[in-house]
Amino acid sequence: MFIEIDFNSDEALYMQLRNQIILGIATSKLKEGESLPSVRSLADAIGINMHTVNKAYATLKQDGFVRVDRRRGVVVAVDLNKLQNIEIMKGYLRPIAAAAMAKGISREEAMKTMADVYDELF
């Protein structure tokens, strides 16, 4: 799997894992209907605690990126409710936008940065 965890980062491990999986979905490295590794096998593979993987999977489920299938485990299942997804995105962007404003980054600079990041993904 393509997961890269930075153990020296200030970002929580479960958030790094969550974000790496979302990036995998966005870049089609993970496809709709694809099963993710079990909690135990992913924890062993990347050297983190099973509870950390479980927390990452729980947040992915809550945000509509995966579902739990009794037979197949955690499966990529992107929630296609666009209005709900936009609201979730706003929740993530608010603290980022506030931090940018506090650091003196203009709206135009922030929008260009967002466009650049979008372009990098495709």
Side-chain angles (χ1 to χ4, degrees):
M1 191 172 236
F2 56 85
I3 303 295
E4 295 178 21
I5 299 297
D6 180 359
F7 292 97
N8 296 317
S9 173
D10 291 336
E11 184 176 32
L13 294 176
Y14 84 95
M15 286 301 291
Q16 288 185 53
L17 178 56
R18 173 198 171 278
N19 292 340
Q20 289 285 311
I21 291 171
I22 292 172
L23 182 62
I25 294 168
T27 58
S28 298
K29 290 178 182 171
L30 292 170
K31 309 257 190 258
E32 179 82 21
E34 185 174 341
S35 293
L36 297 179
S38 71
V39 170
R40 182 182 305 274
S41 67
L42 185 54
D44 288 346
I46 58 179
I48 61 176
N49 189 291
M50 288 180 9
H51 296 293
T52 302
V53 176
N54 208 25
K55 189 170 183 177
Y57 280 2
T59 60
L60 288 163
K61 180 182 177 207
Q62 179 182 336
D63 292 343
F65 290 101
V66 300
R67 64 180 166 76
V68 177
D69 182 292
R70 288 182 181 253
R71 293 170 286 148
R72 297 180 53 214
V74 178
V75 177
V76 174
V78 180
D79 182 353
L80 296 179
N81 182 337
K82 190 171 186 176
L83 292 177
Q84 179 183 356
N85 290 337
I86 288 172
E87 288 305 311
I88 291 169
M89 182 179 169
K90 283 181 184 179
Y92 291 125
L93 289 175
R94 277 187 189 94
I96 294 169
M101 290 171 70
K103 297 284 188 175
I105 297 170
S106 72
R107 182 181 194 282
E108 291 75 22
E109 291 168 323
M111 297 302 288
K112 181 178 180 335
T113 301
M114 180 68 170
D116 291 346
V117 169
Y118 240 80
D119 291 344
E120 288 173 10
L121 295 175
F122 300 101

